[in-house]
Amino acid sequence: MANAEAPVLEPVAGQQAPAEHLFQPFKLGPFTLPHRIIMAPLTRSRARQPGNVPSALNACYYAQRASAALIISEATQVSNARTGLRWTPGIHSREQVDGWRHVVDAVHEAGGRIFLQLWHVGRISHPTLQPDNMLPVAPSAITPSGSAFVDNGRGEGELVPFLQPRALQIEEMPYIVQQYIRGQGIAERRIRWR
């Protein structure tokens, strides 16, 4: 069997080759990005305990990736009752806000841009991750398949089966919306996200 050569993509007359296009500036709303390579959010589980606080390790991690046109942060909890994985950061306490400020400053000092991804995990949680060991809240009381990543009490991660969540009541919806609004407001006013 003869070795087939891989097809070569030729630019169409008047168009850039795909690779050249990738490195061209791009307008994203009010932001002009230097190219089109964006770092997708990746859960790192590196927040300091207690309190799920972004740490120097988070700041170093994101600053090392500042050459991306835009970094979208790992999912960030809007309240302590919205935690889905141990060691993931939040944006609802003073310590977390200070931690994110150090992360954002490190990214900006390295010439990068970073956006915060806000997170409510719904049923993908476990009582050990919730205040007072409450059941996670979700749109429906349907147990997800899979496992939750929790602290086993010795500072180590452990997978445990999900439990049936509590169904969200309609009256609770405005409160959850307010948690997102508060998280977004904190990110805009108290941390210089861009």
Side-chain angles (χ1 to χ4, degrees):
M1 186 162 135
N3 288 337
E5 287 188 32
V8 176
L9 295 176
E10 296 290 334
V12 177
Q15 291 185 351
Q16 296 175 331
E20 292 172 1
H21 188 68
L22 189 61
F23 293 100
Q24 295 300 311
F26 179 74
K27 185 91 167 135
L28 178 65
F31 304 98
T32 300
L33 305 180
H35 52 78
R36 298 165 186 258
I37 300 172
I38 295 176
M39 182 179 146
L42 302 165
T43 300
R44 302 289 83 194
S45 294
R46 295 177 175 172
R48 188 181 72 234
Q49 298 304 312
N52 293 323
V53 177
S55 68
L57 184 59
N58 299 93
C60 179
Y61 171 81
Y62 284 113
Q64 289 172 337
R65 287 146 180 85
S67 63
L70 173 66
I71 297 169
I72 302 173
S73 79
E74 61 198 291
T76 302
Q77 306 139 18
V78 293
S79 89
N80 65 340
R82 308 301 171 234
T83 303
L85 299 168
R86 184 53 68 206
W87 302 291
T88 55
I91 186 112
H92 50 85
S93 75
R94 182 178 309 278
E95 294 81 14
Q96 291 165 343
V97 171
D98 290 343
W100 274 119
R101 188 174 295 116
H102 292 299
V103 170
V104 170
D105 288 348
V107 170
H108 291 172
E109 286 172 19
R113 290 151 228 72
I114 184 168
F115 285 4
L116 178 68
Q117 177 190 192
L118 298 176
W119 191 26
H120 179 304
V121 299
R123 68 185 185 154
I124 305 300
S125 187
H126 192 270
T128 60
L129 299 169
Q130 301 297 310
D132 301 321
N133 289 314
M134 298 182 305
L135 286 173
V137 63
S140 303
I142 300 171
T143 306
S145 60
S147 302
F149 182 61
V150 303
D151 185 336
N152 66 7
R154 298 184 303 275
E156 303 165 340
E158 183 176 319
L159 293 173
V160 296
F162 289 120
L163 301 177
Q164 182 179 10
R166 178 180 66 78
L168 179 69
Q169 302 298 308
I170 290 176
E171 328 45 88
E172 295 176 284
M173 291 178 73
Y175 175 67
I176 291 175
V177 170
Q178 284 304 314
Q179 290 174 335
Y180 274 92
I181 292 169
R182 181 178 180 273
Q184 181 266 334
I186 288 170
E188 270 191 358
R189 290 185 306 275
R190 295 179 57 196
I191 305 170
R192 297 178 320 257
W193 291 87
R194 67 164 164 89

